[in-house]
Amino acid sequence: MLNFEFKNPTKILFGKGEIAKISNEIPKDANILMIYGGGSIKSNGIYDQVKEALKNHQVHEYGGVPANPEYEVLVEALQVIKEKKITYLLAVGGGSVIDGTKFLSAAANYAGEPWEILKKPVRTFEGEGMPFGSVLTLPATGSEMNSGYVISRRETNEKLSSGGPGLFPQFSVLDPEVIRSIPKKQIVNGITDAYTHVLEQYMTAPSSADLQERIAESILISLQETAPKVLSDDFDYNAAGNFMWCCTMALNGLIQKGVITDWAVHAIGHELTAYFGIDHARTLAVIAPSHYRYNFEAKKGKLAQYAERVWGIKEGTVEEKAEQGIKKMEEFFHSLDIKTKLSEYTEEYQGTAERVEKAFTERNWLGLGEHKNLTPQDASKIVAMSY
Ligand code: NZQ
Ligand code: ZN
């Protein structure tokens, strides 16, 4: 097992009715900016619950953070933070709102052009951001219990990630009741995103980190078993709770400790969102199968272990089991009605491989993957395989 340090300071308030407790988590004299998205919280009652919980606090609001949080919009919110002398941020939303809030937390005290923060090497924000908490409304990204974030800039077709130890939420509320109002399309996105988060930290080379590998496999199995229950028309509170906690556990740092991690699927996937606006999770389902086939030799041991332990495939050689594992993964995505080919999302897919190669070369992203040996040319071939 590799050496590691582990610290996750986010306090989780899990369960029905926990939103009411946020007033205990935020200092009484805080000047709060409540940040939310396109308005779903106003029709599903979450907005009212938050306002009721904070009725004795001073609360300003900033709504309208779009999915794939947009830099231009966030710069507006930054003005509000400065004008109103905000001291505490509260994200009420999915990954986009929480990510946007993390960026604002980092940018609030940054003197230069805020986009510079995104241009620095990932996760190097060492200082303390403005304190913030979150009320999660959409299980998917794990942003509620990690310190990373991803921001888009339409003007330049970029989608870049950043983060750092000073950007964990102080608290996050995980109330499974919020799942009642989520459209099925977003629920399957959430399952696919969390599932791929586990794969990025697991589908590398066999390791000696037995516990991390088995926790990872357990999250995958739980997501597979929970999927039909959370997609059923009848709301199942316990299934919703399991789904929510799986998403958080998939990316709160635990399973990546002591092992090598990949993240090439995300790096390439973000380009597809930046070029075509494809939902984040769906870009992952497009890239993952091609990535695993392209890097089959390096990953076949783990792919075979995945097939065996997660899907119960006991027959065949390592190679046969590994290929079966990829097929099972694709079938799982298809069972969620998630398509796995780029051409199924856009007619303008020709030339994407070249575009990715150019972008990664320009950004000096010369070594992706767990061994940092995937070149922009490799990324280009992976994208071409996914057409
Ligand atoms: O904007 P509103 O009106 O709130 O509607 C949202 C949005 O349209 C809606 N929604 C959220 N909760 C709802 C709801 N609708 C009804 N009922 C509810 N309870 O769902 C839509 C999508 O929301 P969004 O926040 O964009 O989705 P998600 O949570 O999947 O976040 C995606 C973003 O997170 C980034 C992605 O790249 C993408 O930008 N990621 C962040 C990560 C992190 N911070 O660790 C890791 C991930 O890999 C990912 O990259
Ligand atoms: Zn993701």
Side-chain angles (χ1 to χ4, degrees):
M1 205 187 305
L2 304 175
N3 291 13
F4 65 86
E5 293 180 7
F6 184 49
K7 180 179 178 186
N8 189 317
T10 302
K11 176 173 175 180
I12 296 295
L13 293 92
F14 180 94
K16 189 171 178 163
E18 293 290 313
I19 293 174
K21 291 191 190 159
I22 58 176
S23 60
N24 303 330
E25 304 300 326
I26 305 177
K28 293 280 169 278
D29 60 353
N31 188 19
I32 304 169
L33 185 65
M34 172 181 172
I35 299 161
Y36 53 92
S40 67
I41 62 164
K42 293 215 167 143
S43 46
N44 59 18
I46 298 172
Y47 175 87
D48 293 337
Q49 288 184 60
V50 172
K51 291 293 274 192
E52 173 61 24
L54 295 179
K55 62 181 180 221
N56 295 322
H57 279 79
Q58 185 173 7
V59 185
H60 301 272
E61 292 179 25
Y62 188 89
V65 175
N68 304 311
E70 172 59 37
Y71 179 67
E72 269 182 27
V73 174
L74 294 167
V75 168
E76 254 175 56
L78 197 55
Q79 282 312 316
V80 178
I81 290 173
K82 292 187 172 158
E83 277 160 24
K84 306 272 183 205
K85 301 195 170 24
I86 297 297
T87 61
Y88 201 101
L89 306 175
L90 178 66
V92 185
S96 293
V97 170
I98 303 176
D99 280 12
T101 301
K102 287 178 182 172
F103 171 69
L104 293 171
S105 163
N109 300 318
Y110 186 77
E113 146 90 22
W115 189 249
E116 287 168 13
I117 305 174
L118 272 303
K119 286 288 193 183
K120 289 183 180 165
V122 285
R123 313 228 158 167
T124 50
F125 183 82
E126 292 292 343
E128 286 298 313
M130 181 173 283
F132 69 99
S134 89
V135 174
L136 179 68
T137 66
L138 172 55
T141 63
S143 188
E144 66 279 6
M145 200 180 177
N146 69 38
S147 62
Y149 63 92
V150 195
I151 304 296
S152 297
R153 192 170 189 179
R154 219 164 292 147
E155 197 191 334
T156 53
N157 277 327
E158 285 174 290
K159 183 170 184 186
L160 299 179
S161 58
S162 186
L167 293 176
F168 281 93
Q170 290 191 334
F171 69 87
S172 286
V173 179
L174 275 58
D175 179 348
E177 287 287 328
V178 302
I179 291 167
R180 283 182 188 274
S181 63
I182 305 176
K184 289 224 165 77
K185 174 180 179 281
Q186 295 298 347
I187 293 184
V188 297
N189 279 352
I191 297 167
T192 304
D193 193 21
Y195 198 88
T196 315
H197 291 161
V198 178
L199 294 177
E200 296 267 39
Q201 300 163 88
Y202 171 89
M203 207 63 86
T204 54
S207 79
S208 57
D210 189 54
L211 180 62
Q212 290 89 320
E213 292 196 355
R214 289 184 188 276
I215 295 174
E217 288 153 0
S218 298
I219 299 171
L220 296 174
I221 294 169
S222 298
L223 284 168
Q224 287 161 202
E225 292 185 354
T226 310
K229 297 181 198 157
V230 285
L231 290 169
S232 146
D233 288 335
D234 297 323
F235 179 72
D236 176 340
Y237 176 83
N238 289 320
N242 283 320
F243 165 46
M244 199 169 215
W245 190 228
C246 277
C247 293
T248 304
M249 287 294 287
L251 196 49
N252 65 359
L254 193 63
I255 61 171
Q256 76 183 18
K257 293 301 160 189
V259 298
I260 50 173
T261 58
D262 184 342
W263 296 109
V265 175
H266 272 69
I268 302 172
H270 288 332
E271 295 301 300
L272 305 184
T273 301
Y275 306 162
F276 305 114
I278 304 169
D279 290 350
H280 168 65
R282 290 166 202 260
T283 68
L284 308 176
V286 166
I287 297 300
S290 308
H291 179 58
Y292 297 148
R293 290 203 169 96
Y294 185 80
N295 293 290
F296 193 78
E297 272 311 304
K299 291 179 182 287
K300 67 184 180 188
K302 214 53 177 294
L303 280 162
Q305 180 179 317
Y306 162 73
E308 208 169 317
R309 292 198 195 163
V310 175
W311 292 107
I313 293 162
K314 307 274 182 226
E315 304 292 316
T317 62
V318 167
E319 286 76 13
E320 284 163 355
K321 283 191 236 172
E323 178 53 33
Q324 276 296 310
I326 302 176
K327 287 214 175 82
K328 282 284 185 189
M329 183 188 72
E330 287 173 315
E331 280 168 26
F332 177 58
F333 293 148
H334 295 157
S335 78
L336 303 173
D337 205 17
I338 295 266
K339 297 179 171 54
T340 51
K341 288 287 171 200
L342 184 58
S343 53
E344 295 174 291
Y345 293 95
T346 172
E347 287 174 5
E348 287 155 26
Y349 60 89
Q350 294 292 356
T352 309
E354 292 77 4
R355 220 171 149 184
V356 168
E357 181 176 340
K358 185 164 176 278
F360 284 9
T361 307
E362 279 171 7
R363 269 180 235 148
N364 220 15
W365 289 7
L366 304 180
L368 292 181
E370 65 271 24
H371 301 298
K372 309 215 177 315
N373 60 356
L374 289 183
T375 62
Q377 292 73 28
D378 292 316
S380 166
K381 287 180 191 147
I382 291 165
V383 174
M385 280 169 71
S386 73
Y387 285 173

